[in-house]
């Protein structure tokens, strides 16, 4: 049926077939794909393949580019079985022309592996992932840098199937290949090391996660310096590993180091700062250092309450927008009560400044004026003004 359709296309587009060679048609099809015009691209790419096949024969290696382009289009359209046929034919042509261990096979093998995995043909996917590695080893070397990507791809497939035990050695090999080629501080190590740590955490093998995390800290420090947020991220991850092992004394200095980095990076009332405060507080509390834990918990609570008050203001304004003034007033009153509880903390860590209460009071006063409760509005405005006057600028 496809062949009949293609022949009809050639007959109907005779002038085009005479003036456009296969390469031109393929280029036009590629442009249509880039524009998302898949329906228009398909007959153009299919015609390009037929024109090229007529010119070269059905087994010429030049056909592989046309087959791959058509397969990629089918993948984009979700037509996986059709894509499979194109990739398999391309692979067969390439293999016949270049041999079973040619590196030219790798793109099609990888495409097929990904496609098979998407189609839940796990056995076929695994075979092709493994064959990519074998072909790379035979055509290049056992330490070729691209092998790191191949091993990581296979490990990613295993991880997606929760086959962590077989994912681990592939990630370790990827790391080893990168280290041999680029050194122990290569940024390219971060991806496979992250995946390896994830594998260990999934298996609750916390001691094994320590070494790669320490190496990642060193890599990030070499790239960005000791006070970068990337460094803080990995300090927190290693500290969490120690916490899960109940090694609270080892977790403490890591959280103590990361918290100042986050404080310097984030605004003092940024909700993302609260978990860092909680982390260190929990470690202190776990060692019965309650005097150190309490102010951290207090700061965290203040940040979260301020964020809640701000969200309440947004909700109340939305309710006003749809003229549900009674509901808006209830939300403002709740927000005022919560804002009044936020502690006023000294220094840069002040997340309980009266500004959030002042803003809420002003919003509430505006609602009262809108509903013609002018005397009540004036009292609220006077309170807001008094708070602003008493706040150091």
């Amino acid at each position: 049926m496809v062949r009949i359709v293609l022949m009809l296309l050639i007959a109907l587009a005779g002038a085009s077939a005479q003036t456009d060679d296969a390469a031109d048609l393929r280029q036009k099809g590629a442009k249509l794909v880039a524009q998302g015009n898949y329906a228009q691209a398909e007959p153009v790419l299919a015609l390009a393949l037929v024109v090229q096949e007529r010119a070269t024969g059905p087994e010429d290696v030049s056909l592989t580019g046309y087959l791959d382009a058509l397969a990629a289009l089918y993948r984009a359209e979700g037509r996986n079985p059709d894509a499979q046929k194109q990739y398999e034919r391309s692979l067969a042509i390439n293999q016949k022309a270049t041999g079973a261990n040619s590196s030219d096979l790798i793109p099609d093998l990888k495409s097929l592996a990904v496609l098979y995995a998407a189609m839940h043909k796990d056995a076929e996917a695994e075979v092709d992932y493994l064959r990519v590695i074998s072909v790379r080893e035979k055509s290049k070397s056992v330490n070729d840098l691209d092998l790191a990507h191949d091993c990581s791809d296979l490990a990613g497939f295993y991880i997606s199937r929760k086959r962590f035990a077989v994912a681990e050695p592939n990630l370790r090999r990827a790391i080893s290949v990168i280290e041999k080629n680029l050194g122990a501080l290569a940024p390219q190590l971060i991806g496979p090391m992250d995946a390896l740590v994830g594998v260990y955490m999934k298996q609750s093998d916390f001691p094994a996660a320590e070494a790669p995390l320490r190496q990642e800290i060193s890599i990030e420090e070499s790239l960005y310096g000791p006070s970068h947020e990337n460094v803080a991220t990995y300090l927190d991850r290693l500290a969490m590993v120690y916490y899960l092992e109940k090694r609270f004394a080892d977790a403490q200095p890591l959280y103590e180091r990361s918290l100042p980095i986050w404080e310097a990076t984030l605004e003092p009332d940024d909700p993302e700062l609260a978990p860092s405060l909680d982390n260190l507080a929990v470690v202190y509390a776990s060692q019965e250092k309650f005097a150190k834990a309490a102010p951290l918990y207090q700061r965290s609570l203040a940040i979260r309450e301020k964020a809640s008050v701000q969200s309440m203001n947004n909700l109340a304004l939305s309710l006003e927008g749809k003229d549900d003034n009674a509901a808006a007033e209830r939300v403002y009153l709740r927000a005022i009560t919560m804002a009044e509880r936020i502690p006023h903390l000294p220094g840069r860590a002040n997340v309980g400044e009266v500004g959030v209460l002042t803003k809420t009071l002003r919003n509430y006063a505006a609602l009262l004026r809108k509903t013609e409760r002018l005397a009540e509005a004036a009292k609220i405005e006077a309170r807001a003004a008094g708070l602003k006057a008493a706040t150091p600028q």
Side-chain angles (χ1 to χ4, degrees):
M1 180 64 182
V2 172
R3 179 72 64 177
I4 293 172
V5 171
L6 291 176
M7 297 305 295
L8 286 172
L9 283 169
I10 294 173
L12 291 171
S16 175
Q18 292 170 12
T19 58
D20 294 342
D21 62 14
D24 291 333
L25 289 166
R26 180 177 163 188
Q27 187 175 12
K28 288 179 180 179
K31 288 182 180 178
L32 290 168
V33 170
Q35 296 166 1
N37 294 328
Y38 301 144
Q40 295 178 42
E42 181 180 355
V44 176
L45 289 174
L47 181 57
L49 174 60
V50 170
V51 171
Q52 183 67 13
E53 188 173 353
R54 283 186 163 187
T56 64
E59 295 184 349
D60 189 84
V61 74
S62 67
L63 292 176
T64 59
Y66 296 87
L67 291 164
D68 290 345
L70 197 54
L73 169 63
Y74 291 147
R75 282 286 280 139
E77 291 182 306
R79 295 166 57 184
N80 291 337
D82 292 329
Q84 177 184 335
K85 292 175 184 176
Q86 308 306 316
Y87 282 133
E88 288 176 341
R89 183 182 173 196
S90 176
L91 178 62
I93 291 172
N94 244 329
Q95 183 166 306
K96 185 173 182 179
T98 63
N101 294 315
S102 169
S103 60
D104 291 341
L105 306 183
I106 289 175
D108 280 333
L109 286 170
K110 283 197 167 190
S111 295
L112 276 169
V114 172
L115 179 61
Y116 287 143
M119 298 169 72
H120 303 286
K121 295 184 175 182
D122 289 358
E124 292 91 335
E126 183 175 9
V127 166
D128 279 350
Y129 278 124
L130 288 167
R131 190 175 172 200
V132 166
I133 293 172
S134 175
V135 168
R136 185 88 66 188
E137 290 173 333
K138 292 173 182 176
S139 63
K140 301 293 184 179
S141 79
V142 294
N143 290 316
D144 186 79
L145 184 57
D146 285 331
L147 268 173
H149 300 294
D150 302 334
C151 292
S152 292
D153 288 343
L154 176 57
F157 167 72
Y158 286 142
I159 290 169
S160 70
R161 270 51 179 179
K162 303 186 185 302
R163 297 173 61 186
F164 303 119
V166 284
E168 178 187 345
N170 284 283
L171 290 169
R172 284 195 167 279
R173 184 176 182 195
I175 291 166
S176 175
V177 168
I178 294 170
E179 287 179 331
K180 286 176 182 177
N181 281 274
L182 303 175
L185 296 178
Q188 291 86 344
L189 289 167
I190 292 294
M193 282 188 167
D194 277 350
L196 183 60
V197 169
V199 165
Y200 290 140
M201 298 300 283
K202 287 287 188 181
Q203 299 178 98
S204 298
D205 189 356
F206 305 128
E210 179 179 349
L213 282 169
R214 285 201 173 280
Q215 189 170 346
E216 287 184 295
I217 291 170
S218 297
I219 293 169
E220 297 292 354
E221 286 175 332
S222 71
L223 289 171
Y224 304 110
S227 300
H228 193 271
E229 59 189 276
N230 285 16
V231 176
T233 296
Y234 287 99
L235 289 168
D236 287 344
R237 291 181 185 176
L238 180 56
M240 178 57 67
V241 167
Y242 287 147
Y243 176 79
L244 292 170
E245 293 181 280
K246 302 189 184 304
R247 295 168 59 184
F248 307 124
D250 292 324
Q252 178 181 322
L254 298 174
Y255 281 137
E256 286 176 336
R257 184 181 164 195
S258 71
L259 179 57
I261 297 174
W262 292 123
E263 288 177 322
T265 303
L266 303 170
E267 292 298 318
D269 58 354
D270 192 317
E272 291 188 14
L273 186 58
S276 295
L277 294 164
D278 288 339
N279 289 337
L280 182 53
V282 167
V283 166
Y284 283 146
S286 298
Q287 300 173 83
E288 299 186 359
K289 298 179 180 179
F290 300 116
K292 289 187 173 182
L296 295 171
Y297 280 132
Q298 189 179 45
R299 283 179 61 192
S300 173
L301 178 62
I303 289 172
R304 297 178 194 280
E305 288 191 332
K306 182 175 181 181
S308 295
V309 172
Q310 290 170 333
S311 295
M312 287 181 182
N313 272 276
N314 293 335
L315 173 59
L317 289 169
S318 296
L319 291 169
E320 280 191 65
K322 61 178 188 176
D323 292 324
D324 194 349
N325 296 325
E329 181 172 2
R330 289 194 295 271
V331 174
Y332 279 133
L333 291 173
R334 285 176 56 205
I336 290 169
T337 300
M338 182 173 287
E340 289 170 337
R341 293 202 310 263
I342 298 176
H344 298 165
L345 303 175
R348 188 182 186 280
N350 179 6
V351 295
E353 69 276 13
V354 294
V356 65
L357 175 58
T358 304
K359 176 182 176 181
T360 308
L361 290 169
R362 286 176 172 169
N363 287 342
Y364 180 41
L367 173 65
L368 292 173
R369 287 196 174 277
K370 177 181 174 182
T371 55
E372 300 184 354
R373 294 158 64 184
L374 304 183
E376 294 176 70
K379 290 180 182 179
I380 298 297
E381 288 166 345
R383 183 183 175 193
L387 286 170
K388 181 178 180 181
T391 303
Q393 301 298 317

